[in-house]
Structures are given as C-alpha cells and as structure tokens.
Amino acid sequence: MGRGDAVGAARALREALRAEREMPDFGIGVTYGPVFAGNIGAEDRYEYTVIGDPVNEAARLSDLAKSRASRLLASAVTVAESDSDEAAYWQTGEDVLLLGRHQSTTLAEPTGIA
C-alpha cells in the first residue's frame, strides 16, 4: 500500500456514496498516527475497538465534513504525507480547533479534480 492509499480510498468512498440513489447522510474524516486496536473487556464480553488521538481527530473531521459540500475532510498533515499524485487532488484550507483537542488542525479538502 502506498502512502496516499487512505486519502485516495476516502475519495473513492465518497464517490460511491454519492452514486447511491438515496444518498445517505455522511461525512468522511481522514488522519493518521499511532493507535491501539484490539479486544477490550471481560473474557465473556470482548469488544473490538480502536483508541488514540488520531481516532478522535478523524471522528471530529467526519462530523465537520457533514457540513461541507465535499463531505470529506482530511488533516493537511495526512495529505502532505501522501504521495504527490494523490496530494494533487487536495487543497489546504483553514486551521480549526476540533472539539476535545488542544492544538488546531489544518484542514484539507478534495479539489474539483476527479
């Protein structure tokens, strides 16, 4: 997998969701970083979960994306870490302080280029 795969997959998912006859309400947020993924809980009640700051940031980006025409936001850092072919599909936007975070996130949104 290449470094642009996550943001490229997010763009493809957005297009697939938009192709639905009855478009569901959705927002897609993409970021990256270290997380913990695994089963948590008692032996008789395991729950698979993913926790970490990137999970929180992605959730907040997803919420914010619902209010945008593109319905898709990524952190600019994530786009900058992707390969240049994928990064060409994105434009950097404003800095926002997402709920529950202590430092601002620079937003990136897909351009009109398909």
Side-chain angles (χ1 to χ4, degrees), residues 17-36:
L17 288 170
R18 283 184 165 172
E20 292 294 316
R21 288 195 172 177
E22 292 183 34
M23 188 172 87
D25 186 29
F26 72 93
I28 302 169
V30 185
T31 193
Y32 80 101
V35 298
F36 173 80

Side-chain angles (χ1 to χ4, degrees), residues 6-111:
V7 287
R11 286 188 312 103
L13 176 60
R14 178 187 65 159
E15 294 311 310
L17 288 170
R18 283 184 165 172
E20 292 294 316
R21 288 195 172 177
E22 292 183 34
M23 188 172 87
D25 186 29
F26 72 93
I28 302 169
V30 185
T31 193
Y32 80 101
V35 298
F36 173 80
N39 293 315
I40 296 177
E43 216 173 283
D44 61 335
R45 192 171 170 197
Y46 277 133
E47 180 178 329
Y48 184 82
T49 191
V50 180
I51 58 175
D53 187 58
V55 176
N56 297 333
E57 184 177 40
R60 301 303 183 235
L61 288 170
S62 295
D63 287 342
L64 186 57
K66 289 179 181 180
S67 66
R68 303 289 182 112
S70 71
R71 310 296 263 186
L72 171 57
L73 291 171
S75 68
V77 172
T78 300
V79 172
E81 288 293 320
S82 68
D83 57 54
S84 59
D85 289 341
E86 180 58 39
Y89 290 103
W90 296 80
Q91 62 188 6
T92 301
E94 71 269 23
D95 291 339
V96 297
L97 186 59
L98 300 170
L99 183 66
R101 306 210 62 230
H102 300 290
Q103 74 182 70
S104 63
T105 299
T106 302
L107 302 178
E109 204 163 0
T111 63

